[in-house]
Amino acid sequence: MTGRLNSAQPYALGLFRIVIGLLFACHGAASLFGVLGGSTGGGTVDAGTWPSWYAAVIQLVGGGLVLLGLGTRAAALISSGSMAYAYFKVHQPESLWPLQNGGEASAVFCWTMLLLVFTGSGAFGLDRLFAGRGEQSAKAQPERATVAA
């Protein structure tokens, strides 16, 4: 049973990345464009306002990149940091626990994005497609022996 689960791991991770990326991008789209119920209060955030507009841009772009599996580790690292900032600057001053301060989404997105930093894109990601092309071109070039001094 463990062998089967281990062999399915890249596919489960790829599906996990797609769902997390989509949900994260939806938060950004809601804040920037007012879709899906809009930002808190039903509208959009004003362009250039700190930190909400910048967080929404990170959510939309970072979520889209994670969804596609393109630059997954870098996008997830920036997204995770953004959510850590959101939690500690916006939610945590209200009270200690995420359940009390409304910061559950920030905390969960922070940790899921951090997980993707370490695991990579898994299956179905464009990262793997481009990595495969790089490996093929590297194999086509003759190998060079290193010389130690």
Side-chain angles (χ1 to χ4, degrees):
M1 173 104 168
T2 301
R4 278 193 194 155
L5 291 174
N6 286 343
S7 67
Q9 186 176 10
Y11 304 105
L13 184 59
L15 291 173
F16 174 79
R17 174 191 46 79
I18 290 168
V19 170
I20 293 299
L22 177 65
L23 293 174
F24 200 61
C26 285
H27 276 276
S31 296
L32 291 174
F33 308 121
V35 296
L36 304 170
S39 181
T40 305
T44 60
V45 295
D46 294 329
T49 56
W50 178 259
S52 55
W53 185 80
Y54 294 94
V57 169
I58 290 171
Q59 290 168 355
L60 182 63
V61 174
L65 289 172
V66 167
L67 170 68
L68 295 172
L70 184 61
T72 303
R73 291 176 191 258
L77 180 65
I78 292 168
S79 299
S80 177
S82 170
M83 290 296 97
Y85 180 87
Y87 181 77
F88 286 111
K89 290 299 262 184
V90 177
H91 299 287
Q92 200 272 331
E94 298 295 320
S95 71
L96 179 62
W97 298 103
L99 193 60
Q100 294 173 323
N101 64 28
E104 299 97 339
S106 296
V108 169
F109 277 126
C110 176
W111 285 104
T112 56
M113 291 295 186
L114 188 63
L115 177 67
L116 289 172
V117 171
F118 291 98
T119 61
S121 63
F124 317 119
L126 293 179
D127 285 343
R128 293 177 71 109
L129 177 68
F130 292 133
R133 287 185 183 173
E135 290 171 5
Q136 289 174 357
S137 66
K139 288 179 183 176
Q141 296 177 355
E143 292 188 32
R144 298 182 185 184
T146 57
V147 179

